Amino acid sequence: MHFSWELSGSGWATCRIWDGSTKHRDIVSYCTHALADLLKGVTGLYGLHGIQRFSFDLEPAEARWILRRRNSDVHITIRRFPDMSTSFGAPDGKGTLVWTSTRPRTSLAHAVLMAAEKVRRTHGEDGYLQKWGRHAFPTTELETLRHLHLAADDCALQY
């Protein structure tokens, strides 16, 4: 599992996910606290609720991620809606399926953690805020996911 999050302009990030056979890319807007939402969504996979949802604003489209935990695996579905201002809260099935994959939770969490760490190393927390524009770097969300991942997934890699 590979995941990247790159600040690609003032208030924009390029989000890429690929599983070795299929890829997906979105250009995400700063209108939401997108990186924090992603980290919280993956963190939620360690809790009692087996389904996590979050959306990225693509101005005007919505990219909705649905994460379904199945034992130690996560089924990832990304659906696109044409206009976030009218689709937010619409049933998942109303969106167009654009990407799906099933991967171990540990692989998803690890990939997301590494991508968020790279953003922090590249820009620093102050630089992130300047480039992203609306929201501070999600330090608390990153540290919460790191703690749960290291405790529950027996990850030997250092962060």
Side-chain angles (χ1 to χ4, degrees), residues 4-155:
S4 68
W5 187 273
E6 299 168 5
L7 299 183
S8 53
S10 182
W12 294 98
T14 302
C15 170
R16 291 182 179 92
I17 188 167
W18 59 101
D19 63 3
S21 61
T22 60
K23 299 178 182 180
H24 179 73
R25 177 182 72 98
D26 277 319
I27 307 298
V28 179
S29 164
Y30 75 116
C31 289
T32 64
H33 200 350
L35 185 55
D37 293 341
L38 168 70
L39 291 165
K40 286 189 265 186
V42 176
T43 296
L45 296 170
Y46 292 87
L48 298 175
H49 302 289
I51 299 177
Q52 299 294 315
R53 286 179 176 77
F54 53 90
S55 294
F56 297 145
D57 190 341
L58 310 179
E59 290 191 39
E62 172 189 356
R64 185 178 304 168
W65 288 48
I66 304 107
L67 309 177
R68 285 184 173 84
R69 185 181 64 228
R70 295 180 180 154
N71 298 316
S72 63
D73 289 336
V74 177
H75 183 71
I76 307 157
T77 303
I78 303 173
R79 293 190 171 272
R80 183 174 298 247
F81 296 81
D83 187 346
M84 188 157 180
S85 68
T86 60
S87 64
F88 201 76
D92 296 338
K94 296 286 185 183
T96 302
L97 178 65
V98 294
W99 194 81
T100 187
S101 184
T102 300
R103 289 289 172 247
R105 178 185 68 190
T106 187
S107 296
L108 175 62
H110 187 85
V112 168
L113 278 166
M114 296 302 288
E117 277 294 345
K118 183 178 180 186
V119 170
R120 183 162 61 177
R121 275 192 321 274
T122 300
H123 301 283
E125 293 186 14
D126 292 338
Y128 177 89
L129 179 58
Q130 287 179 339
K131 194 148 178 110
W132 190 243
R134 210 177 232 184
H135 305 281
F137 184 84
T139 303
T140 300
E141 292 84 351
L142 176 64
E143 295 306 324
T144 301
L145 178 56
R146 178 191 330 277
H147 172 75
L148 291 170
H149 171 62
L150 291 173
D153 292 335
D154 195 31
C155 182

